[in-house]
Amino acid sequence: MLSYKMIIAVIGNSSFSPEETKLAETVGELLAQRGATVICGGLGGVMEAVCRGAKSKGGLTVGILPGQDSSMANPWVDIPVVTGIGEARNVAVVKSAQAVIAIGGSYGTLSEIAYALKSNIPVIGLNTWSFSRNGRKDDSIIRVQSALEAVDKAISVAKRRKNDEITSRSLS
Amino acid sequence: MLSYKMIIAVIGNSSFSPEETKLAETVGELLAQRGATVICGGLGGVMEAVCRGAKSKGGLTVGILPGQDSSMANPWVDIPVVTGIGEARNVAVVKSAQAVIAIGGSYGTLSEIAYALKSNIPVIGLNTWSFSRNGRKDDSIIRVQSALEAVDKAISVAKRRKNDEITSRSLS
Amino acid sequence: MLSYKMIIAVIGNSSFSPEETKLAETVGELLAQRGATVICGGLGGVMEAVCRGAKSKGGLTVGILPGQDSSMANPWVDIPVVTGIGEARNVAVVKSAQAVIAIGGSYGTLSEIAYALKSNIPVIGLNTWSFSRNGRKDDSIIRVQSALEAVDKAISVAKRRKNDEITSRSLS
Amino acid sequence: MLSYKMIIAVIGNSSFSPEETKLAETVGELLAQRGATVICGGLGGVMEAVCRGAKSKGGLTVGILPGQDSSMANPWVDIPVVTGIGEARNVAVVKSAQAVIAIGGSYGTLSEIAYALKSNIPVIGLNTWSFSRNGRKDDSIIRVQSALEAVDKAISVAKRRKNDEITSRSLS
């Protein structure tokens, strides 16, 4: 009965890298083909590539922007959410998704991975950060090797989460 | 060439009022019929009614939620944006829109009106707050008397703003 | 046993007005003399004047800044809190206080008054906004005519709130 | 001529660990003895221990709280800043400091380290996270082995940053 869509966050660097751009674009295409809405930080680099890929297959894209207006949104963002809260918007990018796909990434991406894991939102990683605490490796990120594998995994874990949410909304 | 949609924010009380509910639902229906995306705070009352109205006419609805997950979203929100930032999300509700329609409202609505006016985003008012500073009345809110008039006015001012944005994005 | 101090927020316009500057400076002096910590938005105008007044009497000042670093803090801020969240920091300015003194003010101040009243934090008003909803005047702001009266009233209502908080912290 | 103080952020887990508690308490004592203001997330665990240490030596402590009121502040917080923005407040904790000391830590701490490094704020690490991207180790955290070493290093890098800030504020 609920109308809302499966939402997958795609996070990564805003600066250009040919390899990551290709991966992100393919991820966007595949997510759109599976009917998932793409959410991201709305800027350039990986964020732009995933939106462009999704739009090329008729998908819907949401950009959670850090700035005070939508002027920095990449041209493939359908719904620019202008938060005005700077990098604190990273929390909203991941919390709005049922699963997160991380592609490469800089420190902003690392903060998003940390927020997602803290909120028990599954993170699928493509050539992204790995980390350990006090010498003990953290294995929370689900590592994959291709765009296809990333999307398959994301959709599969998101479906499980979405079912849980619908149950909790029906009961509350 | 830009793909993103006209977005109109509808703000108002989360508690139930029959008159405001009816107004909000009609506003939602009319916005959807004109092709505008509805953005709101995602909760109950006016927010729920405007989403229900929009969905009844095939529209798209975005809910900018204050909490830590989407469990509080009303069932007619297509895209629940989980900000995790509480009432500070009021900034994002209005800044994401090209125009704001205020229906009735409590203090949260008043904060949203203030943010919108500060950002030069036009506010259309239906039975909502009025205010004056040091005895001098502030006439910034565009007052209307019906849902139809509110939507007509919002679409008209939003179109003007959207054109400005597209120009600035093309030039930047 | 709790060490934390009485904290009073002072809110108002960032642009210069001789009358409001004089009021704010006197408010700052009086708050410092009563041992209250001053919290404000940390910028110019009323915010700068109240900090200057407080420092001239040996007080402590906290500035909740909207930007990405402390470079915009006025020189009388002891503790610049760099939020990076823009105007959404208005929530933090008022929620951190046991009472709020509003002096004049623009739309930012109006949003802060709205947030304070929503959170049941008392607002003392000096030549500031007044508002009504649907023609019915809202009398929630405690109106005063002088800096001395504002500070007396703020301290008195803050003491009551602080006692409540200490009780709730001891019990929880 | 600027009145504001050297501010050092101390970040770490909110859950109890005897070893980290001891480290944090000593860090707090040493920071207070050097005249630095301590800023932290204001809750329990490492945050509580560093505040308790600082207060035992007459220091000043600031807690940037995630919640809607100050009821969750630990009892050694002098200035509870009630942000109301949840974990997005992590940005403010690190951006308000001239240097950050990370002790142990969970995912929240990891997000704070990422934000600090993104903002070029030096991070001193005591038994905390390490990370690598695409197999290449990131060496941005300054690793130390004792509370004394952490404080020495933090004060030293903070002094350098503070001088830069004062210069930029004088010139602007």
Side-chain angles (χ1 to χ4, degrees), chain A residues 10 12-14 21 24-25 38-56 60-67 69-82 89, chain B residues 1-5 162 165-166 169-170 172:
Chain A
V10 180
N13 213 326
S14 63
T21 297
E25 191 155 2
V38 170
I39 200 164
C40 70
L43 304 178
V46 160
M47 299 173 257
E48 181 162 355
V50 73
C51 289
R52 191 171 54 235
K55 291 312 295 173
S56 76
L60 182 68
T61 59
V62 181
I64 309 291
L65 296 161
D69 58 48
S70 62
S71 60
M72 298 295 289
N74 74 63
W76 290 273
V77 170
D78 288 312
I79 302 178
V81 175
V82 179
R89 69 80 152 86
Chain B
M1 196 58 54
L2 293 178
S3 62
Y4 78 90
K5 297 167 171 57
K162 202 154 136 51
E165 274 176 36
I166 288 167
R169 285 175 74 177
S170 307
S172 68

Side-chain angles (χ1 to χ4, degrees), chain C residues 75-96:
Chain C
W76 290 273
V77 170
D78 288 312
I79 302 179
V81 174
V82 179
T83 67
I85 61 168
E87 301 157 45
R89 69 77 151 89
N90 293 2
V91 180
V93 172
V94 297
K95 277 187 184 278
S96 300

Side-chain angles (χ1 to χ4, degrees), chain D residues 123-157:
Chain D
V123 178
I124 324 296
L126 268 167
N127 307 332
T128 191
W129 293 97
S130 59
F131 31 84
S132 52
R133 192 169 91 77
N134 245 336
R136 214 182 42 187
K137 199 164 180 330
D138 182 298
D139 284 325
S140 305
I141 295 180
I142 303 165
R143 307 277 165 187
V144 293
Q145 303 304 326
S146 70
L148 178 61
E149 210 187 333
V151 170
D152 277 347
K153 196 71 197 167
I155 298 275
S156 142
V157 295

Side-chain angles (χ1 to χ4, degrees), chain A residues 119-157:
Chain A
S119 302
N120 292 313
I121 297 169
V123 178
I124 324 296
L126 269 167
N127 307 331
T128 192
W129 292 99
S130 59
F131 30 86
S132 51
R133 191 169 90 78
N134 245 336
R136 214 179 44 184
K137 199 165 181 329
D138 181 300
D139 284 325
S140 305
I141 295 181
I142 302 166
R143 307 276 165 187
V144 293
Q145 304 303 327
S146 70
L148 179 61
E149 209 187 335
V151 170
D152 278 346
K153 197 69 199 170
I155 298 275
S156 142
V157 295

